[in-house]
Amino acid sequence: AQKVTQAQTEISVVEKEDVTLDCVYETRDTTYYLFWYKQPPSGELVFLIRRNSFDEQNEISGRYSWNFQKSTSSFNFTITASQVVDSAVYFCALSEENSGYALNFGKGTSLLVTP
Amino acid sequence: KAGVTQTPRYLIKTRGQQVTLSCSPISGHRSVSWYQQTPGQGLQFLFEYFSETQRNKGNFPGRFSGRQFSNSRSEMNVSTLELGDSALYLCASSLEGRSGYTFGSGTRLTVV
């Protein structure tokens, strides 16, 4: 069963629009971590953020913000004022104590930002 | 500080052959994990090595194996290659698994 669901397969926006990428996860562990990674066409996975299960505080970093809600098992990612350079595939991942902290990735959301 | 280095970047092999991929982690990182990325299955965990010992293993056949050396460099081996092994193989290094992972650029393996 898929533990991390990214329902949006592809999103296309025009530059300067805000865009939210959804992530829903499933776990029975009380200790777990959530991640977002960005994969540009070059292939390398670029780390964006890590959140642990005990810290529900939302975070803002420049144009990026993350909304972690344990009540709905969601960890959504918003890009404000999108830019063409934001075009990439974005992955949400879950790391559980029960699984030795291996990353369990969602299928990814392909974001295309056009000028 | 140098990032995670994977070699080679591209590889073409024939069915039935074996292949070895290499990964040099960030200096000081003792954990090295391997992931396979395919269009159909997405990103899947292969295994993790920590201080030269396999600490965790994903759900892959025994044809996939790995090892880690005393300098934390890791190699991954796939024997008796199948067409379905064509994928991007990504290596990730970490101080300690839960602390976050830094990925390399990957090795793109094509089996023909």
Side-chain angles (χ1 to χ4, degrees):
Chain A
Q2 191 67 29
K3 289 201 161 201
V4 178
T5 302
Q6 295 180 253
Q8 305 144 309
T9 307
E10 294 181 354
I11 300 177
S12 183
V13 299
V14 177
E15 210 171 15
K16 295 183 184 161
E17 283 185 15
D18 298 347
V19 57
T20 295
L21 310 182
D22 298 333
C23 173
V24 174
Y25 63 93
E26 181 186 327
T27 182
R28 290 183 182 179
D29 279 17
T30 54
T31 302
Y32 57 89
Y33 296 84
L34 294 163
F35 299 79
W36 275 96
Y37 282 90
K38 172 183 178 179
Q39 188 175 43
S42 60
E44 181 176 350
L45 281 169
V46 178
F47 169 79
L48 295 176
I49 191 171
R50 179 186 76 124
R51 261 284 173 266
N52 73 53
S53 51
F54 301 107
D55 182 4
E56 277 191 82
Q57 205 169 16
N58 292 330
E59 181 157 335
I60 298 174
S61 175
R63 296 185 297 107
Y64 297 167
S65 62
W66 290 269
N67 184 356
F68 175 27
Q69 291 194 343
K70 284 176 77 171
S71 60
T72 56
S73 297
S74 65
F75 186 43
N76 297 337
F77 171 35
T78 297
I79 302 174
T80 303
S82 59
Q83 299 176 359
V84 171
V85 293
D86 295 327
S87 297
V89 181
Y90 291 84
F91 291 94
C92 179
L94 169 68
S95 170
E96 300 166 285
E97 183 177 24
N98 221 18
S99 304
Y101 296 110
L103 289 171
N104 195 321
F105 286 91
K107 294 293 188 186
T109 297
S110 178
L111 174 65
L112 177 64
V113 182
T114 54
Chain B
K1 172 161 144 174
V4 179
T5 303
Q6 290 189 248
T7 56
R9 285 299 309 275
Y10 302 93
L11 211 45
I12 300 176
K13 289 286 188 180
T14 305
R15 260 184 310 177
Q17 286 187 314
Q18 75 164 18
V19 67
T20 299
L21 312 182
S22 179
C23 172
S24 293
I26 290 172
S27 177
H29 284 192
R30 293 192 294 167
S31 165
V32 175
S33 301
W34 289 88
Y35 289 81
Q36 181 197 64
Q37 185 177 25
T38 59
Q41 299 300 316
L43 280 153
Q44 294 184 287
F45 170 70
L46 280 154
F47 31 65
E48 181 206 5
Y49 285 85
F50 185 85
S51 292
E52 301 179 66
T53 302
Q54 188 180 87
R55 184 161 75 168
N56 198 1
K57 188 177 187 306
N59 191 24
F60 276 82
R63 299 186 297 107
F64 292 82
S65 62
R67 58 178 175 168
Q68 187 179 34
F69 302 95
S70 57
N71 62 357
S72 291
R73 189 178 72 85
S74 176
E75 288 182 347
M76 190 192 106
N77 185 276
V78 188
S79 62
T80 320
L81 283 165
E82 300 177 0
L83 295 179
D85 296 333
S86 295
L88 179 66
Y89 290 89
L90 291 160
C91 166
S93 85
S94 175
L95 270 172
E96 172 61 57
R98 73 190 81 178
S99 63
Y101 303 84
T102 302
F103 282 82
S105 298
T107 293
R108 187 164 294 282
L109 171 66
T110 302
V111 182
V112 297

